[in-house]
Amino acid sequence: MPAKLSIHVPGEPVIVRVVDEGRLLFLGRDIACDIVIAHESVSRRHAQILGNPLAWNVSDLGSKNGIRLDGERVTAAELTGACWFAIGDVFCEFERIDAKAQAHLHARAAERRSSSMAWAARIDGGSRSDRLVADLLRGIVDVAECQRGVLLTVDDTGQMRWRASCSLSPEDVAGSRFSGSRSAVERTILDRRPVYLSDPRDRAWLQGQASVIAHGIRALACLPLEHAGRLLGVAYADTSDEQKVFTDLDAELLGAFVDHAASVFAAAELDAQLADMSVWFSVEGTQADRATGVAPYWKSPDASASAGQPA
């Protein structure tokens, strides 16, 4: 019987692997490992997992921070049923699954890849620039399996503007009501890398933020829209679904979709057109897009409080 292993690296998408019986897997920071866990608490060659029809076992390979099962440090342990163990400071969820569940996981992944490809094909259609903005945001929210989203783009002065929203209004993103989400967006702008928050320990980073309290955010994804080293914008999506966990499949699909969108914009020189537009669009499902006002400027958390001025 195969097993599903979910590895929760803090601040990163959850690594999900289905492992067949009889296969020996090595886990660690070394890129030669079967499952690479990029975390400072994990040794280069940290642990191994082996399963057979009778039992699955995890064993330490002389690592610095060891393995913990039920809070106790162990050199080797049998993994029975559904359980959790820690490799260094990285928690791993283990679950034995049957062939039907394995087939469902594969079918679900294929379905999501197909949906992502359909959205990529849609933005290849060469429609007007505002439609591309809307389709990009719809695609991000749909591929991420989220409920809400916003898109920011860089205008002709180099300033970031809120450009489109899905199930969010300008009032929702104003001031402290978007504070927790604002912090994630700011991290994406500064680091030029995606931010995924869905693990319970990730949520501690957002604890007490007004947006989390007001909207019950349980998971969010924020990705830079870049081409040739230039930041064109930022795409954001979130959900109140407590079951939502961003996995490495989410990161693969969202990253590929956003990269493709950036290439489409740049190839058609639409980034310049987008920069000239200053209209805020509301994107609601399959309904027609609505212009709802002037796109407000993005204001960094430490920006001056002068309303309506570029940050």
Side-chain angles (χ1 to χ4, degrees):
M1 182 179 291
K4 184 176 77 169
L5 183 64
S6 303
I7 302 172
H8 297 250
V9 181
E12 299 290 339
V14 177
I15 302 169
V16 178
R17 295 289 183 271
V18 175
V19 185
D20 292 323
E21 286 180 350
R23 185 178 176 189
L24 177 63
L25 289 181
F26 292 97
L27 290 72
R29 285 189 296 108
D30 195 310
I31 60 173
C33 289
D34 299 288
I35 300 179
V36 179
I37 306 175
H39 193 266
E40 63 271 13
S41 69
V42 176
S43 297
R44 291 179 60 82
R45 192 176 169 91
H46 197 114
Q48 68 178 34
I49 291 180
L50 175 63
N52 59 58
L54 296 178
W56 285 78
N57 294 277
V58 60
S59 303
D60 184 47
L61 297 176
S63 66
K64 177 181 179 181
N65 294 313
I67 298 173
R68 298 191 310 281
L69 182 67
D70 296 329
E72 299 292 331
R73 184 160 178 167
V74 296
T75 56
E78 181 178 336
L79 301 174
T80 58
C83 64
W84 288 78
F85 62 93
I87 295 177
D89 293 331
V90 175
F91 286 88
C92 305
E93 183 181 7
F94 175 87
E95 179 186 4
R96 299 187 74 165
I97 60 175
D98 57 22
K100 182 178 179 180
Q102 183 179 20
H104 175 75
L105 288 172
H106 288 313
R108 184 79 176 91
E111 177 187 344
R112 296 194 62 198
R113 286 193 171 93
S114 177
S115 175
S116 178
M117 291 174 63
W119 277 110
R122 179 165 177 168
I123 65 173
D124 277 336
S127 57
R128 68 185 192 274
S129 54
D130 59 328
R131 173 63 63 180
L132 277 175
V133 169
D135 284 345
L136 171 58
L137 182 55
R138 284 195 187 97
I140 288 291
V141 173
D142 184 71
V143 174
E145 297 184 322
C146 284
Q147 299 164 329
R148 313 183 311 165
V150 292
L151 180 69
L152 296 88
T153 59
V154 178
D155 71 5
D156 54 358
T157 70
Q159 300 298 316
M160 194 76 73
R161 280 181 182 263
W162 302 95
R163 283 291 296 114
S165 66
C166 180
S167 300
L168 281 163
S169 69
E171 291 74 23
D172 287 325
V173 299
S176 62
R177 294 184 64 181
F178 198 72
S179 62
S181 310
R182 182 181 295 272
S183 299
V185 173
E186 190 71 15
R187 278 176 52 179
T188 301
I189 294 173
L190 293 176
D191 297 341
R192 298 284 189 95
R193 63 185 300 270
V195 171
Y196 295 97
L197 296 169
S198 56
D199 183 87
R201 288 163 300 149
D202 295 338
R203 293 169 193 158
W205 181 75
L206 293 170
Q207 187 174 6
Q209 298 283 7
S211 65
V212 177
I213 296 171
H215 300 292
I217 295 173
R218 293 295 180 268
L220 65 82
C222 194
L223 298 92
L225 187 66
E226 289 186 287
H227 183 76
R230 187 159 59 95
L231 184 65
L232 304 179
V234 172
Y236 168 93
D238 69 28
T239 180
S240 60
D241 183 359
E242 293 187 357
Q243 302 304 312
K244 176 61 182 178
V245 173
F246 285 108
T247 68
D248 47 353
L249 176 61
D250 288 293
E252 172 195 335
L253 298 179
L254 287 168
F257 180 65
V258 168
D259 287 347
H260 179 71
S263 297
V264 170
F265 288 164
E269 297 184 349
L270 284 171
D271 52 323
Q273 296 180 34
L274 292 172
D276 291 336
M277 294 191 300
S278 60
V279 179
W280 172 289
F281 284 92
S282 177
V283 179
E284 299 297 337
T286 58
Q287 299 177 14
D289 312 322
R290 297 181 295 109
T292 59
V294 176
Y297 282 103
W298 166 261
K299 298 176 72 64
S300 298
D302 58 352
S304 64
S306 54
Q309 298 299 317

